[in-house]
Amino acid sequence: MTSDYYAVLGVPRDATPEQIKKAYRKLARELHPDVAGESPEAEERFKDVSQAYDVLGNPEKRRMYDLGGDPSSSGGGAGAGFGFQDIFETFFGAATGSQRGPVPRARRGEDALVRLGVDLSEAVFGARRDVAVDTYVVCPTCTGTCCRPGTSAQSCTACNGRGQVQRVTRSLIGPVVTNRPCPVCHGFGTVIPDPCPECSGEGRVRTRRTLSVDVPAGVETGTRIRLSGQGDVGPAGGPAADVYLEVRERRHDVFTREGDDLHATLPVPMTAAALGTVLTLDTLDGPQEVDLRPGTQPDQVITLRGLGAGRLRAGGRGDLHVHVEVQVPAPADEQQAALLRQLAQLRGEERPEARLSQTGVFAKLRDKFTGR
């Protein structure tokens, strides 16, 4: 045996495992070739320190050493393959992030995104729709085993089913062992000698399916509806992913939408706006009567409560805002012109005074952009 291992590490014979590890870490840092450089003395000392820790850091080898036995006879010592992996685990603990053992062949599938066009009425009230999606499903022939019926996967002989192969290289600090995925089985630990002819050994096939979807009231462009477990089945029959339906709301010929509210323009004759009347509107909820009061002005807004879009998460509905557009006709004949002149005389408007004001369309645009 070599000299006193306790003296090599500079610890007493009754040192605790933690004291031994701490001493070794300190010396290994000082003597490592990356720190000490290419020094023959440091290299030899590093080997001695590594050999001493290989014995004293192992409870059984330490017990044998304390009893006067030769720990190297049971595989100890620096020549037994104490390499970079052992040093790494000594400094940083077990390599929990490294790949251990074969990886599972079955994996989760990928999520799918499908565009869903909806009419305004469907967005307002909700609807039930049938949607066609192209996704992977479990192969009906091999049921996800990836093998031709009657056959099965075989353990990889290149890695003995471990999914990894070791590579040993020589270095200044001794043998360095690295683990890599097996190039034959690609890390799965098994090989498929006779793949399924329908899915080519993937365990899944692509097909078109029709899904029935409940479109909730209040959806709008950009809303995503999640269909859990309806996406692609993973390789080897792995868990299915999700389908996301992204809503695209189609434009309506009459109504426009702003959030939960609907807007529409109502053209009315000048006489109806002046005298007042009751009009019947065709809304998404059916015919609705609107009371047009005498003297209704252009751009006046009539609000019909609760006739807007459904609220997606809050419940209830928004409102329908009807914007009045007063139509001013040109006289069709002399009789109409005479009546208008008579009305102007009665109202004293034959020669109206021209006065500019800050009301009207431009003032409203200004207030909108200035926040007044």
Side-chain angles (χ1 to χ4, degrees), residues 1 3 55 58 83 96 122 142-143 155 160 162 194 227 244 253 269 279 308 324 336 345:
M1 287 188 298
S3 58
V55 174
N58 186 305
T96 55
E122 294 175 319
C142 69
T143 63
S155 179
N160 293 324
R162 292 190 298 269
D194 195 2
L227 305 180
Y244 289 89
D253 293 336
L279 300 176
V324 177
Q336 292 183 5
Q345 291 175 356

Side-chain angles (χ1 to χ4, degrees), residues 126-206:
R128 187 168 184 82
R129 292 281 302 277
D130 289 336
V131 181
V133 296
D134 293 321
T135 60
Y136 282 106
V137 298
V138 176
C139 174
T141 300
C142 69
T143 63
T145 65
C146 306
C147 304
R148 183 186 294 270
T151 66
S152 61
Q154 304 295 323
S155 179
C156 178
T157 57
C159 64
N160 293 324
R162 292 190 298 269
Q164 292 188 342
V165 293
Q166 288 187 343
R167 181 183 178 186
V168 182
T169 57
R170 305 292 298 180
S171 69
L172 293 176
I173 61 174
V176 176
V177 181
T178 57
N179 291 322
R180 294 184 178 180
C182 175
V184 176
C185 67
H186 305 290
F188 296 129
T190 59
V191 294
I192 301 175
D194 195 2
C196 172
E198 182 168 352
C199 65
S200 300
E202 193 173 355
R204 60 179 184 171
V205 293
R206 197 164 187 83

